[in-house]
Amino acid sequence: MQCDYFDAGRCRSCTFMGVPYTEQLADKQRTVADVLAGHVPEDAWLDPRPSRESEFRNKAKLVVAGTTAAPTFGILDAGGAGVDLRGCGLYEPGLHEAALALAEVVPRLGLQPYDVRGRQGELKHLLVTHSPTGELMVRFVLRSTNQLGRLRRGVPVLLEALPQIRVLSANLQPRHAAVLEGDEEVLLSEADTLPMPVAGVTLHLGTRSFFQTNTSVAESLYAQAGDWVLDAQVGTLWDLYCGVGGFALHAADRACASGRSIQVLGIEVSPEAISSARRSADELGLGTARFIDGDATSLAPEADSRPDLVVVNPPRRGIGGPLARWLEESPASTVIYSSCNPATLARDLADMPCWQVTAARLFDMFPQTAHAEVLVRLQRPRPR
């Protein structure tokens, strides 16, 4: 991939830029295998799942700087000044078009960009998510409600320029800190979720919902996990840190399509994500799928029933000692662990010595960078 921003020295976020993609993928596979060498046998590795090396991102996280009349959309340099990256080559075509259109229409709204050095202004970030349907979620991150009225009055202007906007909101982030968004969200559209069709299942993303940045590779990730679930032939599945239910819903839907039924329980700390998962389950007619909000670390050990298979998809910090010890003592026959941080995955696997990794695969969600998504299948060793 060639990038004018990188060549000009304006952005260095893509640390592997200029390295041939086949070499990137091979190096990433070697690095991940080395980190997990004490836990994943060499013969357990499946071929890595590559990505398009450009135009793969479904979400843009744009720092807004500059002036009201001439804002920049991209990142900040070392001195806190804005660097405009509206034409980033990582964006999906539909997202690329939306970013360019928003960069043209936002100055018409009269919102003052936030000045990090002067600690004044209102508009901090513009967060844009693109669905395979072509629809968009657009979120304006503001410092306060001071210019919320101005944004409300500008909604018709935004929708005229981008009628594919389905969800529009303002997020309030009052702190002077390197934090992307705040806790309060003000919905400015009738719809509150963005439908994301992924491998035959429509997931619903709320404004605060997490979803993998690379839709195509996410489809393969869910498909691989679904294959392992079907191979295990289990009756109950728990999906911990389930988000909007991606792993659980795909597994349950595939089981149903094959004439089987799996009792599914998803646990996620975000009530918004759980509401979205329930909505998807209802649309799919999955009466055997149940989703509850709460901390998986505490709720899973306290539950009355016990699962046959557990899927965990934690944030970068991993599942941690308490949940690893619970899995170590649980009656489950299979664990599927999706990790975006091989280092914490290695730590967690070390805390579960009774489990054996029987398959592992790298999914390249983030070409041009060192970030790696790894899916591993753990099974109890068969008795001699």
Side-chain angles (χ1 to χ4, degrees), residues 132-207:
T133 65
E135 294 180 305
L136 299 167
M137 177 189 296
V138 178
R139 302 170 63 210
F140 287 77
V141 180
L142 305 175
R143 183 176 68 158
S144 71
T145 59
N146 286 348
Q147 292 190 352
L148 185 56
R150 188 183 294 273
L151 178 57
R152 286 187 188 276
R153 292 189 294 275
V155 169
V157 176
L158 288 166
L159 294 181
E160 180 182 7
L162 280 169
Q164 59 268 49
I165 294 177
R166 178 183 174 88
V167 180
L168 182 65
S169 71
N171 177 273
L172 303 181
Q173 203 290 82
R175 291 188 291 162
H176 181 76
V179 178
L180 188 64
E181 58 189 80
D183 296 330
E184 185 178 352
E185 198 87 19
V186 180
L187 195 64
L188 303 174
S189 58
E190 183 177 345
D192 59 355
T193 64
L194 178 68
M196 294 283 290
V198 182
V201 172
T202 297
L203 304 174
H204 290 275
L205 303 190
T207 55

Side-chain angles (χ1 to χ4, degrees), residues 20 23 80 90 123 161 176 198 200 361:
E23 185 177 331
L90 301 185
L123 180 56
H176 181 76
V198 182
R361 193 176 186 189

Side-chain angles (χ1 to χ4, degrees), residues 34 85 341 354-355:
D34 287 345
L85 303 175
N341 186 346
C354 289
W355 291 94

Side-chain angles (χ1 to χ4, degrees), residues 129-322:
T129 304
H130 178 252
S131 168
T133 65
E135 294 180 305
L136 299 167
M137 177 189 296
V138 178
R139 302 170 63 210
F140 287 77
V141 180
L142 305 175
R143 183 176 68 158
S144 71
T145 59
N146 286 348
Q147 292 190 352
L148 185 56
R150 188 183 294 273
L151 178 57
R152 286 187 188 276
R153 292 189 294 275
V155 169
V157 176
L158 288 166
L159 294 181
E160 180 182 7
L162 280 169
Q164 59 268 49
I165 294 177
R166 178 183 174 88
V167 180
L168 182 65
S169 71
N171 177 273
L172 303 181
Q173 203 290 82
R175 291 188 291 162
H176 181 76
V179 178
L180 188 64
E181 58 189 80
D183 296 330
E184 185 178 352
E185 198 87 19
V186 180
L187 195 64
L188 303 174
S189 58
E190 183 177 345
D192 59 355
T193 64
L194 178 68
M196 294 283 290
V198 182
V201 172
T202 297
L203 304 174
H204 290 275
L205 303 190
T207 55
R208 306 292 300 281
S209 298
F210 167 80
F211 183 71
Q212 280 88 358
T213 304
N214 191 322
T215 305
S216 176
V217 176
E219 288 185 341
S220 298
L221 180 71
Y222 293 143
Q224 181 67 77
D227 288 344
W228 289 344
V229 171
L230 291 180
D231 289 345
Q233 298 185 4
V234 295
T236 57
L237 178 155
W238 286 9
D239 185 359
L240 309 183
Y241 311 96
C242 70
V244 295
F247 285 104
L249 291 166
H250 280 87
D253 186 60
R254 288 185 58 184
C256 183
S258 66
R260 294 167 48 196
S261 177
I262 298 180
Q263 296 288 330
V264 167
L265 172 64
I267 302 176
E268 165 62 43
V269 71
S270 166
E272 178 189 82
I274 289 299
S275 177
S276 294
R278 289 170 178 165
R279 179 174 176 178
S280 295
D282 288 343
E283 291 176 352
L284 291 166
L286 296 175
T288 60
R290 186 166 64 98
F291 295 91
I292 60 175
D293 62 273
D295 179 13
T297 304
S298 58
L299 287 182
E302 295 174 359
D304 295 333
S305 60
R306 290 292 179 264
D308 301 322
L309 185 149
V310 179
V311 178
V312 292
N313 181 28
R316 290 187 59 81
R317 66 177 181 271
I319 63 174

Side-chain angles (χ1 to χ4, degrees), residues 79-92:
V83 178
D84 198 281
L85 303 175
R86 69 185 69 182
C88 177
L90 301 185
Y91 300 153
E92 294 176 348

Side-chain angles (χ1 to χ4, degrees), residues 3 17 25 48 125 169 204 225 309 329 352 357 364 371:
C3 175
M17 186 65 68
L25 191 61
H125 303 104
S169 71
H204 290 275
L309 185 149
E329 299 171 359
M352 297 187 289
V357 176
D364 195 14
H371 295 291

